[in-house]
Amino acid sequence: MSTHHETDVAIIGAGPVGLFAVFECGMLRMRAHVIDTLDMVGGQCAALYPEKPIYDVAGHPAIDAQDLIDKLAQQAAPFDPVYHLGQQVTGLHQLDDGRLRLETSRGQTIVAKAVILAAGCGAFGPNRPPLDGIEAYEGTSVFYMVQRREAFRDQRIVIAGGGDSAVDWAISLAEVAAQVMVVHRRAKFRAAPESAARLDQLAADGRIELVVPYQLHGLDGTGDRLNAVIVADLDGSERRLEADVLLPFFGLSMNLGPIAEWGLALDRHTVSIDPSTAATNIPGVFAIGDIATYKGKLKLITTGFAEACQAAHAIHPLVHPGEALHFEYSTSKGVPGTK
């Protein structure tokens, strides 16, 4: 496998916004290589909630996250993007001719005329609850994300957390699990009001047990198989919950990683951009999606899609200098290279 590549645009991040950027660049006859730390395309949509519906993508009253990713990958496919998955961009350097050289954790070098950061909130991982020996159960009885709810059919499930992920998955898994118990340190949940109301109704109907106010205290099992989750209330009184699975939903730990060392203008854990072009303070580097920020920014997939369009048009003169770009609707020009 070649370790050196040259392309028009290098896109860091293969989530929904990065995939749409491939399409937008392709529509302007710009080739793209895409790098992502995950070993699959889709970003958080594919890794964390592939079966959860998304309701605010235009034209789709509801679409499961994985279905959205599949359609975006299909949309990008005519432009033959090259994916470098399971690796992190570790270095970014400006060359004398203005191009940018990216280096990855797998020894790949990619030279591009422009770079688009579509890395979401950077590298992410779950916040692990501080329970002794939890590592022994991870991947067999303890999971930090649900990729297929069918995998939990007929099991006794303890869900810990009080946010949207905990509440949404409790509601969803109640349809397939033998038992769902939700552990939270207070009776009030930090979820969308309609979801919290649905949770309360399922609890009233006996389909979900709300274990409140309690917190995780310990695990009991054999080998890598869980037998019970031990919880404790605010006074330290313990309770044993017989369970096959623990799903702790305590949010994600976000880290920009090497991106934070590149000299970009940062605002906390995001990159400041010019919203009219998505340009950062580094020539040739653009940022779109959740990693990009500006006054009035809305962190929506739809916003990221629009930023991908802005970035592609701003990059065009870098890839095709001196060539006039006449804006045309896709209904008029079609998709280049397809019938």
Side-chain angles (χ1 to χ4, degrees):
M1 179 179 179
S2 175
T3 58
H4 179 78
H5 310 271
E6 296 196 5
T7 188
D8 295 326
V9 183
I11 300 171
I12 302 175
V17 174
L19 292 175
F20 189 65
V22 173
F23 171 78
E24 283 298 315
C25 288
M27 291 291 284
L28 301 183
R29 297 183 298 106
M30 299 187 297
R31 299 168 297 122
H33 281 231
V34 186
I35 311 98
D36 199 286
T37 55
L38 298 178
D39 58 5
M40 59 186 174
V41 301
Q44 292 186 37
C45 285
L48 300 184
Y49 45 87
E51 293 183 339
K52 286 184 67 174
I54 300 172
Y55 300 102
D56 55 1
V57 175
H60 295 281
I63 183 169
D64 284 355
Q66 186 61 57
D67 290 340
L68 176 63
I69 294 304
D70 292 342
K71 291 181 182 298
L72 286 165
Q74 180 182 356
Q75 187 178 29
F79 302 110
D80 297 321
V82 178
Y83 294 103
H84 305 271
L85 302 177
Q87 54 196 298
Q88 184 180 44
V89 177
T90 55
L92 173 70
H93 309 278
Q94 194 117 33
L95 302 179
D96 291 339
D97 61 6
R99 294 184 300 166
L100 297 143
R101 185 180 79 241
L102 283 71
E103 299 157 354
T104 80
S105 56
R106 287 194 176 179
Q108 301 285 311
T109 299
I110 302 166
V111 175
K113 297 174 183 176
V115 170
I116 296 177
L117 294 176
C121 296
F124 59 89
N127 287 319
R128 176 188 283 129
L131 298 176
D132 290 340
I134 191 171
E135 295 85 354
Y137 301 102
E138 291 175 346
T140 54
S141 299
V142 174
F143 303 90
Y144 299 103
M145 60 189 73
V146 176
Q147 292 187 311
R148 291 181 56 256
R149 73 171 189 166
E150 195 60 32
F152 301 97
R153 180 172 290 279
D154 299 329
Q155 298 199 49
R156 300 167 299 172
I157 300 172
V158 172
I159 294 176
D164 285 305
S165 292
V167 171
D168 290 348
W169 279 120
I171 294 170
S172 179
L173 290 170
E175 298 177 5
V176 299
Q179 184 181 16
V180 174
M181 297 161 277
V182 182
V183 177
H184 188 41
R185 64 182 183 276
R186 59 174 65 95
K188 185 176 179 60
F189 289 82
R190 307 179 314 279
E194 60 272 22
S195 298
R198 175 65 175 152
L199 181 75
D200 288 338
Q201 185 60 54
L202 288 171
D205 294 342
R207 295 175 60 190
I208 289 176
E209 181 180 354
L210 299 182
V211 185
V212 294
Y214 280 88
Q215 300 183 79
L216 297 180
H217 186 68
L219 302 174
D220 177 51
T222 304
D224 61 359
R225 294 295 173 181
L226 195 62
N227 295 326
V229 175
I230 313 302
V231 297
D233 64 16
L234 301 181
D235 296 323
S237 298
E238 296 183 9
R239 179 181 169 189
R240 179 184 175 90
L241 307 177
E242 303 293 332
D244 305 301
V245 172
L246 170 63
L247 301 175
F249 292 122
F250 296 128
L252 299 173
S253 174
M254 303 297 184
N255 184 359
L256 285 180
I259 293 174
E261 309 301 323
W262 294 350
L264 292 160
L266 300 179
D267 182 354
R268 297 184 182 179
H269 296 293
T270 54
V271 178
S272 296
I273 66 167
D274 176 348
S276 67
T277 62
T280 71
N281 61 305
I282 297 179
V285 179
F286 300 76
I288 62 177
D290 284 355
I291 200 170
T293 191
Y294 47 85
K295 184 178 180 180
K297 168 68 179 260
L298 295 176
K299 286 194 173 185
L300 297 171
I301 291 177
T302 300
T303 304
F305 289 163
E307 292 162 355
C309 301
Q310 297 289 94
H313 280 255
I315 289 170
H316 183 269
L318 301 178
V319 176
H320 301 294
E323 180 181 310
L325 175 59
H326 301 288
F327 178 76
E328 295 181 75
Y329 295 110
S330 61
T331 49
S332 302
K333 68 185 295 186
V335 176
T338 64
K339 295 181 179 181

